[in-house]
Amino acid sequence: MAGFFVTFEGIDKSGKTTQAALLAEKLRKKGRDVVFTQEPGGTELGREIRHLVLGWRPRAAVVALAEMLLFAADRAQHVAEVIRPALEAGKVVISNRFVDSTTAYQGYGRGMDLGQLRAIQEVASDGLRPDLTVLIDIDVATSRERGGASDRLEAENDLFFERIREGYLALGRTDPNRIFRVEGHLSVEVVSQHIYAEVSNRLGLDNRL
Ligand code: TMP
């Protein structure tokens, strides 16, 4: 059985983690071997990087290039150690965030050059692309209502998150076959049904649970 790589994307508090976990549970019930992972922090090295890049230290501003390269280092390790071996073993890999997060946050959010960023990410991800990306779209006001900032990036202002959301929507328009946009303001159950319908269709699974 061929492996299948699904990524979840969206601004903070979009419900990605909940939905990714629900999808993993549904696919396991169908007998698929699922690896559920995340970025940053899907490996031991990655957990150290996550701490570095999302923590409140150093207090001096972290420059966008350094921030982006830390996410790239996390990704290089994650692809080599976790994602590629699992796909080669025929598993379904569900990753909470992947390259689109860098394009949206460091590209659109921080204003980094998109061409340069794409070239570096191509190297970091070893050319690996998701088979499907679920983009859970919520507006920034909803993200804010769902909770306060728990890390350095979440403490950025609303304009930063507006640019990120726009970035995700632009990515969705340029790559509609890969990126499946789902309305994140709907109930957890309904969002999960939409996602499962799309994934089961692509995997040729029975849509009934
Ligand atoms: P989360 O995994 O808890 O959603 O949070 C990770 C944070 O890191 C989130 O604010 C998005 C951010 N991030 C980037 O800015 N660029 C990236 O490439 C990745 C993977 C995450």
Side-chain angles (χ1 to χ4, degrees):
M1 204 181 279
F4 190 76
F5 183 28
V6 190
T7 60
F8 276 74
E9 296 285 353
I11 62 172
D12 296 84
K13 312 278 192 317
S14 58
K16 291 181 316 309
T17 312
T18 305
Q19 291 299 335
L22 284 171
L23 177 65
E25 193 185 309
K26 289 178 179 182
L27 291 174
R28 283 184 184 127
K29 278 194 191 139
K30 288 282 176 189
R32 293 297 306 245
D33 205 341
V34 179
V35 172
F36 180 25
T37 185
Q38 64 162 353
E39 288 192 0
T43 62
E44 190 182 352
L45 175 68
R47 283 184 282 283
E48 300 286 329
I49 295 173
R50 182 179 177 96
H51 183 67
L52 272 177
V53 76
L54 297 180
W56 301 98
R57 288 172 167 272
R59 273 167 289 183
V62 176
V63 298
L65 180 60
E67 182 177 278
M68 189 270 278
L69 290 170
L70 284 168
F71 286 116
D74 167 75
R75 184 158 303 132
Q77 186 71 24
H78 193 210
V79 168
E81 188 181 318
V82 176
I83 304 176
R84 217 184 272 283
L87 291 174
E88 282 169 1
K91 298 179 185 175
V92 175
V93 177
I94 300 177
S95 182
N96 204 347
R97 300 193 179 281
F98 194 60
V99 172
D100 298 317
S101 281
T102 308
T103 310
Y105 280 74
Q106 281 66 51
Y108 287 85
R110 299 274 190 231
M112 289 191 73
D113 179 86
L114 292 179
Q116 184 191 48
L117 205 145
R118 203 172 297 123
I120 294 172
Q121 291 309 314
E122 184 74 14
V123 176
S125 60
D126 192 23
L128 182 68
R129 294 213 170 82
D131 295 297
L132 173 69
T133 295
V134 177
L135 169 59
I136 305 184
D137 184 40
I138 58 166
D139 57 38
V140 175
T142 305
S143 169
R144 293 300 194 201
E145 279 161 19
R146 290 183 180 177
S150 56
D151 63 43
R152 189 178 59 83
L153 279 177
E154 288 180 13
E156 292 286 341
N157 64 25
D158 285 2
L159 276 177
F160 178 69
F161 287 102
E162 295 288 0
R163 290 196 297 273
I164 293 166
R165 184 184 182 209
E166 282 312 311
Y168 273 131
L169 295 175
L171 279 169
R173 284 190 295 272
T174 52
D175 205 350
N177 290 330
R178 174 175 67 85
I179 300 182
F180 173 66
R181 177 190 169 278
V182 57
E183 175 57 61
H185 302 94
L186 301 170
S187 73
V188 170
E189 190 46 43
V190 171
V191 172
S192 176
Q193 280 165 7
H194 284 314
I195 295 170
Y196 185 70
E198 183 68 21
V199 173
S200 58
N201 184 25
R202 299 215 184 199
L203 281 173
L205 296 173
D206 182 352
N207 193 358
R208 285 165 307 174
L209 284 172

